[in-house]
Amino acid sequence: MNRSLGEEQLTAHRAVLGKHPGRTMGYKVLRSSLPGDRADTYLWRAAATGAPEGHDPDGALPWRVFLGASDTHPTPVCACVDTSWDGTADGTGAPSYTWRLTLFDWPDVSRSALTWSGIDRALPAEPPDPSADDAPTEVGVPNTSAEELAAVVDDLGFAWASGVAALLLDNRQVAITPSPGRPLPDVADRVRALDAICSLLPYACRSWLSAATWTGQSQHDLRLFFAPTARAGQCAAVFGGAPPQEPRGSAARGYLRGLRALRAKTDDTRPLVRHLLAATEPATSAPDAGTAHKALREADLLDSVVEEVRSGAGDLTEVARVLDRHPAASLDDRRLTVLTGYLVDGAHGRKARAGALLAEQWSDRLRSLLVGEVLAAGDLARSFERAEEYLGAVHNVVEAHRPGTFDELFHALVEAQEPTDGWAGSLIYMAEDQWGRSTERADRILFREPAVGKTWLRYLLKKKRRDLKPLERLVRRARTELAADATPGWLRFAAVLLGDSPDGTTATDAADFAEAFEKGWRTTLEIARLRRRPEVLGPMWPKLWRVARTERGLGEGGLGEAVGRLVPVEERVGGSVAADADLFCAATRTGTPGMPRLERLADDAELRVYIAVLINRLGSDGELRRLAVDALLAGAPGQRGWRVIEQLGIVLPDSFLPPVCEVLHRRLIGHGRPLDDLDVPPYLMEQVSQRYDMAWLRPVHEFRRAVNDHASYERLARLLLNAGAPLRLPAQLLDTVAGWTMAQGPYGLEQVTRFMDELGADLPGLRLYRALVRDDRHAGLRVLLTEHSRQQGARHDRIVAALRNGPDAPMAAEPAAEGERRGVLGKMGRIVPGKRR
């Protein structure tokens, strides 16, 4: 492509068609440097345009015809035929015209993109002598600049010239006709006009184009020519008039639109002409609008490809050509964003070529554009999706060509202005989860930004395929890089969960960890179970107690079930863990009733820890105290249970003992599971018996305790006498005495009442008998006592009779049931605790 005026030395073939002056003969090739009939083809094709007419000033000689390939000689050439008349005549007196052919081989002219204007200027002002020997000669052909041709196009009017050029692509003949009242320019200017019109087509089109500065009314096959009028089948383009009709073919119309769009884009014809003059390959032998459109596309390859990519029709090879011609550093943000997005999509699809191109063009600016595209995606989900796409593409393909690109983009994304506080945490988790990528910079962001760290933790913990290696890595790094007070709370607790001592870890730390996502406490306890870290119950207490208050009674899947799995009853644990586990299970009413882990404590030291934890937990929470009391008294508390109750009562006398007494009261009066009052420590019995409705409890408890301790009958008598007049004894005490009598037999009651009669006035023992049987509450008691007394009376009668009759009197007959009675009393005597001592 020539960008400045100069001259090309080319080999020119010549031929002449004419007559010898004064002879009567037809026209023939007078001389030629061309072999065979090649000269005939071009000369006669030019001669077919017609003969000059003297009365037509626009058709004044010389005429110039420019030819390319023909049907008979399809090899492209660039030929010019000059029609002239030197005033001579033939033998008939008719004017003898001469057609002079100058022909250049196509490779020579296309290499330098020589134009018709340049060839026209190279023609000699004085034609050579026709009789001279003819041979190929070297001719200096001036270059025609794109600027000169563009200026002619602008003078003609771009819309007009481009319309004519598009008709040529539509395989039409176009006649440029004069505008009424306006003369046509001279021959040289016509050549420039023809040249300018064709400069709006790829240069290679000149291999099949043909043009003429004038044609007559004869039939010819030229494509573009000046003529007085258009013949049938030809298109007319009025010189200086409105643009001609549009092409019929869609391809030619598309070319015309593209041509005008390019011109409108820059408002400068010169770069467009400059580009088309350079489109010298491939040469075609017929109008081909598709090929021409491809050449035109090259004039605006960048935007053409950008638009194709934007519309979803991008081609990787074309994008590569654009980036080769227009490196990323030279592109504006808009174009670079489109092309980069296309390459990222290709790299995301694991296209190695796309990844290689992206790596070649990688720069800080390109990375910033990608970050901007992520943040500008719209909603958070789309931003994250785009970030995942970009990082995946870089990791999968680009990194292999340019190591370090992943970390660059990754850090730029996580350190950018985030759509939300936790957005970076999601990206950091994704990088490690999907591609195994973690960096110290990203870890420090997790340390530094609480929202980012907890978002990262949320994604880690809610994944079904939970891998704690990333958390272990963070714990190790924090241990070496951060002071304890600078470590995020959730990470301090994570260290405990993974094996560190819980000392120094607060409930706030545990809450930070467990509240990373909904129901996080459940996952936390499950991790603790797998890691065998029941110690986490301590710092998790406040959080779990809030859960317990809302999930009480949920059973399977709830807090109690989770704690039960973490601290099984059958496994021996420390006092602190045992206390918390028992409290949680009691609060949620799951697992074994009571406080089952209490009995499994190893020694008194663990028991003291257990009690200390309970004191700490129950001190300020009335609801929890009530639940603990219910659990401690759910069954028989046992020695350790009563010890725990005693210690809690000492430390919390005003808040703990009242609910204990309330439960004891209910159970002692028969509400709920029965409780043996003998198990209740004396100090508690003292407390309970002081209740307004429990005056009976003290004498009942003392009597049962005395019986259990095998006290003498006298001791039992005194206890009953101290309880009040027999007829006014509490019903509960009478029930107790009746039950004892039924169980031990009437002998004991007989002895007790004798002592009562001895110790008291008005035969209180006799009154006791009457009180016991005054109603039918104790079925069979009256019969038992009556029978016993009758038998005792019969025996006494025999004793009186024996004493009255002397030693020689015969023995009175023993009552029939006496032997049986002795046997029963003998058996009863073995279990009666009240024998006289």
Side-chain angles (χ1 to χ4, degrees):
M1 183 176 68
N2 295 302
R3 298 182 181 273
S4 61
L5 289 176
E7 193 174 87
E8 296 289 337
Q9 292 295 319
L10 301 178
T11 300
H13 298 276
R14 298 186 184 277
V16 177
L17 176 67
K19 298 179 180 180
H20 293 292
R23 297 184 183 179
T24 56
M25 56 176 288
Y27 287 100
K28 66 176 183 178
V29 177
L30 302 178
R31 59 186 176 85
S32 175
S33 63
L34 293 169
D37 60 353
R38 289 189 68 195
D40 285 357
T41 299
Y42 301 106
L43 288 169
W44 285 110
R45 191 176 173 198
T49 58
E53 298 180 8
H55 62 275
D56 184 3
D58 288 333
L61 294 174
W63 292 1
R64 299 278 163 75
V65 177
F66 299 93
L67 301 169
S70 66
D71 293 339
T72 55
H73 289 84
T75 301
V77 297
C78 188
C80 176
V81 178
D82 178 87
T83 304
S84 61
W85 182 47
D86 58 3
T88 60
D90 61 11
T92 65
S96 181
Y97 299 105
T98 302
W99 288 268
R100 293 183 175 86
L101 168 67
T102 304
L103 182 145
F104 301 94
D105 289 326
W106 178 256
D108 293 337
V109 295
S110 65
R111 183 172 56 251
S112 301
L114 297 181
T115 63
W116 294 338
S117 298
I119 294 172
D120 184 60
R121 294 188 186 108
L123 296 178
E126 293 294 332
D129 182 0
S131 62
D133 291 337
D134 199 4
T137 59
E138 291 295 315
V139 177
V141 180
N143 297 121
T144 305
S145 69
E147 288 72 15
E148 177 183 347
L149 292 172
V152 176
V153 170
D154 291 339
D155 287 342
L156 294 172
F158 188 86
W160 185 87
S162 61
V164 174
L167 287 171
L168 297 176
L169 274 185
D170 207 26
N171 202 21
R172 307 293 295 279
Q173 286 184 295
V174 183
I176 303 174
T177 60
S179 178
R182 183 176 178 181
L184 293 175
D186 61 21
V187 173
D189 287 338
R190 294 183 199 181
V191 172
R192 282 194 291 275
L194 297 172
D195 211 3
I197 291 169
C198 291
S199 72
L200 297 180
L201 298 174
Y203 184 85
C205 290
R206 294 169 188 257
S207 65
W208 53 264
L209 279 171
S210 56
T213 58
W214 193 255
T215 62
Q217 295 300 313
S218 58
Q219 195 75 28
H220 61 80
D221 63 356
L222 299 184
R223 303 282 185 177
L224 178 64
F225 46 88
F226 285 86
T229 59
R231 295 172 59 87
Q234 297 175 345
C235 294
V238 179
F239 190 78
Q245 66 186 73
E246 286 202 353
R248 292 175 298 195
S250 60
R253 286 200 306 272
Y255 182 87
L256 178 60
R257 286 195 300 270
L259 198 63
R260 290 176 175 171
L262 284 175
R263 173 63 169 72
K265 189 174 183 180
T266 61
D267 199 30
D268 188 352
T269 310
R270 291 171 296 179
L272 181 57
V273 171
R274 189 179 302 117
H275 168 75
L276 292 172
L277 284 176
T280 58
E281 295 292 342
T284 58
S285 58
D288 185 351
T291 301
H293 196 280
K294 290 180 181 178
L296 179 63
R297 178 175 176 273
E298 294 294 316
D300 193 30
L301 180 64
L302 173 59
D303 281 347
S304 296
V305 172
V306 167
E307 187 56 37
E308 289 168 0
V309 169
R310 194 192 305 277
S311 65
D315 179 80
L316 187 57
T317 301
E318 292 297 284
V319 172
R321 287 205 308 126
V322 165
L323 291 174
D324 183 60
R325 189 179 300 178
H326 306 280
S330 69
L331 298 178
D332 60 77
D333 286 354
R334 182 184 66 83
R335 293 181 176 91
L336 181 57
T337 298
V338 173
L339 296 180
T340 300
Y342 176 79
L343 292 179
V344 168
D345 288 342
H348 190 64
R350 297 183 180 270
K351 294 180 180 178
R353 178 58 177 149
L357 283 173
L358 198 57
E360 289 172 8
Q361 303 298 325
W362 192 265
S363 66
D364 291 346
R365 177 168 165 253
L366 189 148
R367 183 191 65 233
S368 297
L369 282 176
L370 290 178
V371 173
E373 284 294 290
V374 168
L375 300 181
D379 56 52
L380 180 61
R382 178 57 185 152
S383 292
F384 191 81
E385 180 182 347
R386 189 169 290 177
E388 182 179 10
E389 177 185 354
Y390 290 176
L391 287 171
V394 172
H395 175 270
N396 295 334
V397 182
V398 180
E399 183 87 357
H401 301 281
R402 190 183 180 104
T405 49
F406 180 90
D407 287 354
E408 289 180 21
L409 179 59
F410 175 54
H411 291 147
L413 284 170
V414 299
E415 294 171 358
Q417 183 67 36
E418 305 171 17
T420 66
D421 290 339
W423 187 71
S426 306
L427 289 181
I428 294 172
Y429 172 78
M430 179 185 66
E432 188 160 6
D433 181 61
Q434 291 197 20
W435 307 298
R437 305 294 295 260
S438 64
T439 67
E440 292 184 7
R441 278 173 66 176
D443 286 352
R444 292 191 181 102
I445 293 175
L446 299 178
F447 295 160
R448 187 176 64 247
E449 303 292 339
V452 174
K454 291 176 75 172
T455 300
W456 176 88
L457 181 64
R458 178 171 69 252
Y459 279 96
L460 179 74
L461 295 183
K462 74 178 183 180
K463 193 74 177 277
K464 290 184 179 179
R465 181 186 55 81
R466 189 178 303 115
D467 181 5
L468 296 181
K469 289 189 176 72
L471 190 59
E472 293 172 345
R473 184 193 72 250
L474 286 184
V475 168
R476 288 195 301 271
R477 179 161 287 164
R479 193 180 291 133
T480 58
E481 295 185 9
L482 300 177
D485 57 355
T487 302
W490 63 268
L491 194 55
R492 282 197 297 269
F493 181 77
V496 174
L497 196 59
L498 297 178
D500 282 4
S501 168
D503 296 340
T505 303
T506 67
T508 302
D509 298 339
D512 276 348
F513 187 95
E515 293 174 358
F517 69 102
E518 187 178 4
K519 302 287 187 182
W521 61 265
R522 193 189 310 274
T523 299
T524 306
L525 292 181
E526 180 63 14
I527 294 173
R529 183 186 70 82
L530 296 174
R531 293 291 181 131
R532 304 185 70 81
R533 296 293 294 165
E535 296 85 351
V536 302
L537 284 179
M540 288 186 72
W541 171 266
K543 168 66 179 176
L544 295 181
W545 172 230
R546 289 195 296 273
V547 173
R549 297 176 73 170
T550 59
E551 294 203 353
R552 189 169 304 136
L554 289 185
E556 185 177 355
L559 173 63
E561 190 265 348
V563 172
R565 294 179 62 197
L566 175 63
V567 191
V569 173
E570 61 273 11
E571 290 187 10
R572 181 169 289 177
V573 292
S576 176
V577 172
D580 283 337
D582 278 347
L583 281 176
F584 281 131
C585 291
T588 55
R589 296 187 175 93
T590 54
T592 304
M595 307 287 257
R597 295 164 185 82
L598 172 63
E599 297 302 323
R600 305 235 354 127
L601 296 177
D603 49 37
D604 280 354
E606 291 297 338
L607 177 60
R608 287 192 293 272
V609 173
Y610 187 100
I611 294 172
V613 170
L614 291 186
I615 291 172
N616 180 54
R617 302 290 187 227
L618 305 182
S620 59
D621 194 319
E623 182 181 7
L624 188 58
R625 283 195 300 272
R626 180 180 61 77
L627 292 168
V629 169
D630 288 344
L632 285 167
L633 296 175
Q639 182 180 0
R640 281 184 169 176
W642 290 119
R643 182 175 172 183
V644 169
I645 293 172
E646 179 181 9
Q647 293 299 312
L648 289 172
I650 293 172
V651 177
L652 306 170
D654 296 331
S655 59
F656 184 75
L657 282 181
V660 169
C661 291
E662 179 68 30
V663 174
L664 289 175
H665 172 238
R666 290 198 308 270
R667 295 187 59 183
L668 288 170
I669 63 176
H671 294 170
R673 182 179 298 181
L675 177 68
D676 192 338
D677 63 286
L678 297 179
D679 293 334
V680 180
Y683 76 94
L684 282 176
M685 188 60 67
E686 180 71 23
Q687 291 275 341
V688 176
S689 65
Q690 291 177 5
R691 297 176 66 92
Y692 73 94
D693 62 342
M694 297 293 287
W696 57 267
L697 181 58
R698 183 194 299 276
V700 169
H701 176 69
E702 289 178 348
F703 185 85
R704 295 189 72 245
R705 177 68 67 186
V707 170
N708 192 63
D709 292 342
H710 304 286
S712 66
Y713 294 129
E714 182 182 355
R715 169 66 179 153
L716 296 179
R718 291 183 182 278
L719 287 176
L720 292 175
L721 288 173
N722 290 337
L727 293 177
R728 294 194 298 272
L729 287 178
Q732 294 87 348
L733 181 57
L734 290 174
D735 291 342
T736 301
V737 174
W740 171 69
T741 301
M742 293 295 290
Q744 302 298 324
Y747 178 79
L749 179 62
E750 178 186 357
Q751 300 305 313
V752 169
T753 56
R754 284 181 178 178
F755 277 109
M756 291 177 67
D757 288 341
E758 290 177 4
L759 297 173
D762 298 329
L763 300 175
L766 181 60
R767 291 194 177 95
L768 177 60
Y769 275 110
R770 187 178 301 167
L772 288 172
V773 297
R774 64 186 169 189
D775 54 37
D776 294 329
R777 294 176 57 185
H778 309 291
L781 180 62
R782 185 189 299 272
V783 175
L784 177 67
L785 294 178
T786 300
E787 178 62 20
H788 174 70
S789 296
R790 187 187 64 76
Q791 292 173 356
Q792 288 294 90
R795 182 173 180 275
H796 290 159
D797 288 343
R798 291 182 62 205
I799 292 173
V800 170
L803 292 174
R804 183 179 299 140
N805 297 325
D808 296 329
M811 291 292 292
E814 185 177 1
E818 186 65 18
E820 181 181 348
R821 183 186 67 81
R822 286 180 180 177
V824 171
L825 291 179
K827 294 178 181 179
M828 294 174 64
R830 285 194 293 272
I831 60 173
V832 171
K835 290 184 178 179
R836 193 179 288 247
R837 295 177 181 174

